[in-house]
């Protein structure tokens, strides 16, 4: 069984969000980069759990990014994973990422992606990759079980969950519930230094969209405080002023 | 040529998010001088002609046994056939459970650029530029779609439904329908009475509640308001509440009209999932809690005192 886990690099969840170059670029100065939480906590950890259950499993990691993505993919290797591929281009949008990954993702039994990147919030790479590879796709999985070559996957739907049975190969986007939380151990970090990290040149895909300009959301007017002894006043404000109830 | 809107159903009923998408698509059609058409897959319990109220002229209804359960591959092939036959220039989905699986696939198949999670009508004065939230609602991006065909998925609760007069022409559409590789073997409803991602009002509580045994008053408030329940991550991690109620950066993102946060500190990762709510109310005993900075209304007080009073005050308003 061969698993491919797609790893992206995102700003730390507490990073200050600001823009430069006339608001056309994210201001990267001083920003700490992390593995996108959905990729690490759910996609990668589930792959590691599957390998623990069946040690013959092989886990490959892939990232589309420049040399600045190396610390991230190395950290992912330290968590688990047997080898990694870095596709050497700075991606500008989801389609480009999907097309680049599709070019190297031909013979995997299972492809795991995160639900979305926490910077551009596309949630699109998984579905695009599945279409490019002509594979089934389950979005926003909350549980993933495997018996032989059949996966049983739960996914979030409006107001509930759906259980789906699906033969491998399949592309699954992972969110909370798919894996148990775990903390990386030092041994893995040492071992990761010797694990292969292959750099491949991009297939040169044309992006179909372009991020033109960013802006910060309008600031809130400020909080209106109401005394705990006058809750009726809050309800009146919510009803008459905010028209929320 | 058309603007084609995918109409999403649950148990044969059209989801609220699809009514938003229909309104949105009809507005785009008006803006670019095309006709708005909708597509419905599988059996339905709804009167499809009534979708004309949102401004769509035609509803393509594709019926086949294989479409009565969701499979993104099968649905995509059918949607592409409808898109090609109607000469769709813009295709609209909701950015919900179905749209998240379909929009990327359909976009790839039609070589169309995709903006996932649009929050406003496109600006067509210079190209075709769609606004969306990025950095989990901490910023807004304007994204140009450069391809001939455009695919947009609209964020849930981002666009107000409008309803006028009008009847749509309902036409059966004959499509080639593949056999799905996936098989839906079951569905389960989650704890709350109202679906979290579709809710107008969300009542959410955090570690300030001390333990799962104290959720009764939160549930009562939610019931009174007809709201869905949510919680912060530590609450779900400690199994006080089910994981599907966890909102935030790593949980579910919600954007209701009203979000009431009780005993939640307002950590940046929590705010990332709720900051698109129209009105935010914070109840916290610590006046310094960061959540107050993101709130519209607040009460500095003890949840155990304030929440029952709030329930009573809402009941009074509703005349119960
Ligand atoms: C990468 C990453 C991702 C994360 N993702 C998420 C996420 O998706 N969602 C999320 O929620 N968190 C997330 N977190 C965790 C987040 O940082 C906070 O730790 C968490 O949101 C805190 O939860 P809380 O507000 O319920 O608890 P606390 O921070 O403990 O706050 C409890 C609050 O209750 C108040 N309080 C106490 N008693 C009372 C009372 N009697 N009446 C009224 N108020 C009272 C206190 O003043 C305090 O403000 C993430 C963290 C990381 C590092
Ligand atoms: N540059 C990238 N390299 C590898 N995988 C990526 C990259 N960008 C996104 N992904 C994967 O696709 C998922 C969804 O990304 P997105 O569609 O950009 O929100 C992420 O959670 C990753 O698993």
């Amino acid at each position: 069984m061969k698993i491919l886990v797609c790893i992206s690099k995102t700003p730390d969840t507490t990073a200050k969000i600001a823009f430069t170059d006339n608001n056309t670029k994210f201001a990267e100065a001083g920003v700490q980069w992390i593995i996108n939480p959905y990729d690490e906590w759910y996609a990668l950890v589930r792959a590691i759990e599957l390998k623990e259950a069946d040690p013959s499993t092989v886990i490959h990691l892939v990232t589309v990014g420049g040399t600045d993505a190396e610390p991230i993919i190395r950290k992912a290797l330290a968590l688990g994973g047997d080898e990694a591929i870095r596709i050497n281009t700075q991606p500008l949008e989801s389609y480009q990422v999907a097309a680049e990954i599709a070019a190297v993702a031909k013979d995997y039994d299972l492809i795991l992606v995160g639900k979305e990147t926490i910077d551009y919030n596309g949630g699109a790479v998984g579905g695009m990759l599945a279409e490019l590879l002509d594979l089934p796709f389950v979005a926003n999985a909350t549980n993933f079980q495997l018996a032989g070559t059949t996966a049983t996957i739960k996914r979030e739907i409006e107001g509930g969950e759906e259980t789906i049975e699906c033969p491998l190969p399949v592309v699954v986007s992972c969110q909370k519930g798919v894996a148990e939380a775990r903390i990386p151990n030092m041994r893995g970090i040492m071992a990761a230094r010797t694990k292969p990290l292959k750099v491949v040149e991009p297939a040169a895909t044309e992006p179909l969209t372009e991020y033109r300009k960013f802006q910060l959301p309008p600031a809130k007017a400020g909080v209106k405080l109401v005394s705990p002894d006058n809750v009726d006043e809050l309800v009146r404000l919510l009803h008459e002023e905010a028209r929320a109830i | 040529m058309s603007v084609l809107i995918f109409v999403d159903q649950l148990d044969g009923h059209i989801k609220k998010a699809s009514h938003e998408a229909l309104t949105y698509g009809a507005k785009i059609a008006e803006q670019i001088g095309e006709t708005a058409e909708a597509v419905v897959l599988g059996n339905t319990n709804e009167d499809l002609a009534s979708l004309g109220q949102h401004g769509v002229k035609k509803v393509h209804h594709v019926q086949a046994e294989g479409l009565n359960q969701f499979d993104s591959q099968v649905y995509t092939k059918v949607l592409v056939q409808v898109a090609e036959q109607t000469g769709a220039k813009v295709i609209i989905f909701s950015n919900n459970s179905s749209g998240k699986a379909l929009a990327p696939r359909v976009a790839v198949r039609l070589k169309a650029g995709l903006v996932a999670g649009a929050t406003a009508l496109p600006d067509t004065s210079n190209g075709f530029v769609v606004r969306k939230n990025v950095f989990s609602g901490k910023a807004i991006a304007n994204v140009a779609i450069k391809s001939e065909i455009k695919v947009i998925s609209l964020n849930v609760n981002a666009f107000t439904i409008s309803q006028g007069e009008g009847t749509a022409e309902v036409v059966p559409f004959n499509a080639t329908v593949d056999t799905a590789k996936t098989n839906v073997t079951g569905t389960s409803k989650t704890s709350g009475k109202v679906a979290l991602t579709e809710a107008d009002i969300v009542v959410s509580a955090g570690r300030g509640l001390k333990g799962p045994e104290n959720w009764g008053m939160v549930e009562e408030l939610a019931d009174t308001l007809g709201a869905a329940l949510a919680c912060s991550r530590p609450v779900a991690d400690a199994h006080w509440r089910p994981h599907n109620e966890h909102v935030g950066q790593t949980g579910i993102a919600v954007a209701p009209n009203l979000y009431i946060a009780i005993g939640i500190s307002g950590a940046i990762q929590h705010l990332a999932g709720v900051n698109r709510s129209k009105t935010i109310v914070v109840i916290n005993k610590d006046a310094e809690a960061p959540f107050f900075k993101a709130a519209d209304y607040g009460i500095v007080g003890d949840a155990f005192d304030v929440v029952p009073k709030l329930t009573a005050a809402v009941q009074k308003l509703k005349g119960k």
Side-chain angles (χ1 to χ4, degrees):
Chain A
M1 158 108 160
K2 270 179 84 178
I3 307 177
L4 182 68
V5 185
C6 301
I7 300 288
S8 56
K9 139 182 176 285
T10 50
D12 175 35
T13 53
T14 58
K16 182 174 171 348
I17 305 305
F19 301 94
T20 61
D21 294 23
N22 198 19
N23 287 324
T24 58
K25 267 211 191 87
F26 175 58
E28 298 194 350
V31 168
Q32 294 262 12
W33 298 91
I34 59 169
I35 307 173
N36 185 42
Y38 294 107
D39 308 357
E40 174 181 341
W41 300 1
Y42 308 125
L44 178 55
V45 172
R46 189 67 189 119
I48 296 167
E49 289 171 352
L50 290 170
K51 190 177 166 100
E52 283 165 358
D54 171 8
S56 72
T57 303
V58 174
I59 304 174
H60 287 180
L61 313 178
V62 63
T63 192
V64 183
T67 45
D68 54 331
E70 279 208 4
I72 295 302
I73 195 82
R74 282 272 176 221
K75 183 178 172 215
L77 269 179
L79 292 169
D82 298 298
E83 57 179 83
I85 306 162
R86 178 171 69 81
I87 302 172
N88 187 24
T89 182
Q90 255 346 316
L92 299 169
E93 51 130 38
S94 302
Y95 173 68
Q96 221 192 340
V97 171
E100 292 297 345
I101 295 175
V104 301
K106 296 288 189 248
D107 60 332
Y108 291 93
D109 303 295
L110 176 62
I111 300 178
L112 299 177
V113 300
K115 167 178 120 166
E116 64 179 26
T117 48
I118 62 165
D119 46 9
Y120 293 101
N121 304 117
V125 167
M128 289 178 167
L129 190 55
E131 189 62 22
L132 290 164
L133 298 170
D134 204 18
L135 294 179
F137 171 57
V138 178
N140 292 13
T142 53
N143 192 283
F144 179 93
Q145 303 300 330
L146 195 63
T149 56
T150 304
T152 303
I153 308 166
K154 286 199 170 114
R155 73 169 180 122
E156 178 197 318
I157 57 171
E158 282 65 40
E161 273 179 345
E162 195 173 76
T163 308
I164 297 152
E165 255 176 34
C166 178
L168 299 182
V170 58
V171 181
V172 181
S173 89
C174 303
Q175 67 170 0
K176 190 176 162 115
V178 163
E180 294 285 333
R182 69 170 63 196
I183 297 156
N185 66 30
M186 279 311 286
R187 220 160 19 115
I189 294 172
M190 300 303 287
R193 292 200 187 138
T194 56
K195 286 183 187 170
L197 170 61
K198 217 164 59 185
V199 178
V200 302
E201 286 312 310
T205 322
E206 277 292 305
L208 297 171
T209 61
E210 178 194 8
Y211 281 82
R212 280 216 183 140
K213 219 167 182 112
F214 296 94
Q215 67 208 67
L216 296 175
K220 287 254 175 193
V223 59
K224 251 188 208 172
L225 290 177
V226 176
S227 152
D229 300 320
N230 196 6
V231 177
D232 283 339
E233 171 64 5
L234 176 66
V235 170
R236 187 194 68 77
L237 286 167
L238 289 177
H239 184 58
E240 291 173 11
E241 190 177 80
R243 300 186 179 278
I245 56 178
Chain B
M1 305 262 231
S2 72
V3 171
L4 185 66
I5 303 122
F6 169 69
V7 177
D8 192 19
Q9 303 197 94
L10 189 65
D11 303 331
H13 293 285
I14 295 173
K15 293 180 190 168
K16 179 181 146 224
S18 286
H19 291 288
E20 295 165 1
L22 285 158
T23 307
Y24 179 79
K27 292 257 157 66
I28 295 181
E30 219 176 278
Q31 192 176 327
I32 63 171
E34 303 283 350
T35 52
E37 303 185 13
V39 51
V40 176
L41 307 188
N43 295 341
T44 183
N45 297 319
E46 305 253 5
D47 165 26
L48 298 181
S50 72
L51 298 182
Q53 290 172 351
H54 302 301
V56 296
K57 299 285 181 265
K58 226 185 222 182
V59 180
H60 303 275
H61 191 193
V62 196
Q63 270 178 302
E65 193 41 49
L67 297 175
N68 291 329
Q69 80 172 35
F70 182 83
D71 176 275
S72 67
Q73 246 177 328
V74 172
Y75 269 40
T76 295
K77 276 218 176 140
V78 172
L79 291 174
V80 166
Q81 293 170 56
V82 180
E84 283 173 347
Q85 203 178 99
T86 59
K89 277 191 149 177
V90 184
I91 304 161
I92 312 289
F93 294 89
S94 305
N95 193 23
N96 65 0
S97 62
S98 313
K100 281 178 177 153
L102 294 173
R105 298 198 81 123
V106 169
V108 161
R109 196 47 64 195
L110 295 172
K111 300 196 169 46
L114 163 70
V115 173
T119 55
L121 287 169
D123 176 357
T124 48
S125 60
N126 174 19
F128 193 100
V129 181
V130 187
R131 176 185 278 238
K132 67 166 286 187
N133 290 313
V134 287
F135 297 96
S136 309
K138 286 176 260 181
I140 296 160
N142 298 289
V143 188
I145 306 184
K146 301 194 290 187
S147 51
E148 178 123 357
I149 301 174
K150 282 112 180 141
V151 178
I152 302 173
S153 66
L154 175 70
N155 260 356
V156 177
N157 272 343
F159 205 75
T160 313
I161 299 168
S162 75
Q163 242 157 344
E165 299 288 304
T167 322
E169 181 194 347
V170 182
V171 283
F173 188 102
N174 277 323
T176 312
V177 180
D178 289 352
T179 307
K181 287 185 204 141
T182 67
N183 184 21
V184 177
T185 56
T187 50
S188 62
K189 284 225 183 312
T190 41
S191 49
K193 291 173 191 149
V194 183
L196 182 53
T197 45
E198 296 234 302
D200 270 330
I201 305 179
V202 173
V203 172
S204 185
R207 204 144 59 175
L209 275 254
K210 311 282 188 287
E213 67 282 3
N214 296 324
W215 247 260
M217 64 178 189
V218 180
E219 282 168 2
E220 223 172 299
L221 175 61
D223 280 351
T224 310
L225 287 165
L229 287 169
C231 68
S232 67
R233 193 179 102 193
V235 163
D237 284 349
H239 303 291
W240 295 0
R241 299 297 302 172
H243 71 80
N244 47 44
E245 287 182 11
H246 155 200
V247 291
Q249 184 102 66
T250 44
I252 291 166
V254 295
N257 269 324
L258 177 61
Y259 184 80
I260 303 181
I262 304 162
I264 302 176
S265 58
I268 194 158
Q269 297 92 354
H270 184 85
L271 295 180
V274 307
N275 56 11
R276 292 190 296 111
S277 310
K278 292 210 177 76
T279 301
I280 295 179
V281 174
V282 168
I283 299 166
N284 196 305
K285 68 174 184 191
D286 173 11
E288 301 297 314
F291 219 143
F292 284 115
K293 290 207 178 70
D296 300 284
Y297 301 98
I299 294 184
V300 180
D302 187 336
F304 296 92
D305 165 47
V306 174
V307 173
K309 281 194 203 157
L310 183 54
T311 306
V314 174
Q315 276 164 349
K316 204 161 82 190
L317 172 81
K318 297 200 165 175
K320 280 181 204 155

